[in-house]
Amino acid sequence: MDYTIKEVSNMMNLSISTLRYYDTMGLLPGLKRKESGYRVFSDNDIEMLKIIDSFKKAGLKIKDMQHYLALAFQGENTLTERYQLFLKQEKVLEKKIEELQQALEVTRKKISYYEAALQAGTENVLPPAFCLPFTQK
């Protein structure tokens, strides 16, 4: 199926300028254009945008994504390097998840603090340790 840039923008929650930028940077190598010059997105382009989104969330920069694509176009002789790239990204994501889990734990403790204070109608009845900033393990 083919999609317009506006449809893809809505579908992927990306701005039209971001989609154009990804195309200009060579991240959508299969992207076709109509005679008028308008971009036409395919299901494969949508899948590539999902990969780009995942890379972006993992902290990869555009140049890293370009490097990955260059490797992919070189074919099977780069399988090991591409595999290593994803192993590295897995470690980065696991670290981010761990950091977010710690932040969530602190947030939940603060929520508990405010619930207790609201229930008591004051912060003055809470134990002093309850009021101090929470340390992470």
Side-chain angles (χ1 to χ4, degrees):
M1 183 166 191
D2 289 340
Y3 307 92
T4 66
I5 197 167
K6 184 168 178 60
E7 290 171 327
V8 174
S9 173
N10 291 334
M11 192 183 327
M12 299 297 298
N13 199 26
L14 293 168
S15 70
I16 289 173
S17 61
T18 296
L19 292 168
R20 288 180 180 139
Y21 177 70
Y22 289 164
D23 180 31
T24 302
M25 297 308 291
L27 298 179
L28 298 167
L31 192 63
K32 294 183 175 94
R33 289 181 182 258
K34 292 182 177 184
E35 284 185 27
S36 61
Y38 289 111
R39 292 167 176 88
V40 179
F41 293 79
S42 68
D43 290 328
N44 287 340
D45 296 319
I46 301 300
E47 288 305 310
M48 189 61 204
L49 286 168
K50 290 176 184 176
I51 292 169
I52 291 168
D53 184 55
S54 177
F55 281 171
K56 187 176 169 186
K57 288 176 181 171
L60 259 71
K61 297 183 178 9
I62 295 291
K63 67 178 178 138
D64 298 323
M65 294 181 215
Q66 290 168 324
H67 176 67
Y68 167 76
L69 280 174
L71 291 173
F73 280 112
Q74 290 176 35
E76 290 184 353
N77 61 328
T78 65
L79 278 172
T80 300
E81 194 172 349
R82 286 182 277 152
Y83 172 69
Q84 293 297 326
L85 187 132
F86 277 95
L87 286 177
K88 180 180 173 186
Q89 281 316 114
E90 180 182 40
K91 289 183 189 320
V92 169
L93 288 171
E94 286 172 346
K95 185 172 176 19
K96 277 187 173 189
I97 289 168
E98 182 181 321
E99 290 168 353
L100 287 171
Q101 285 289 72
Q102 291 172 355
L104 180 59
E105 183 180 323
V106 170
T107 299
R108 286 180 173 155
K109 286 180 182 178
K110 293 305 277 182
I111 288 170
S112 175
Y113 165 79
Y114 286 111
E115 285 173 344
L118 286 167
Q119 187 174 15
T122 180
E123 291 181 88
N124 295 331
V125 297
L126 299 174
F130 210 86
C131 301
L132 297 175
F134 296 97
T135 58
Q136 296 180 12
K137 295 179 185 176

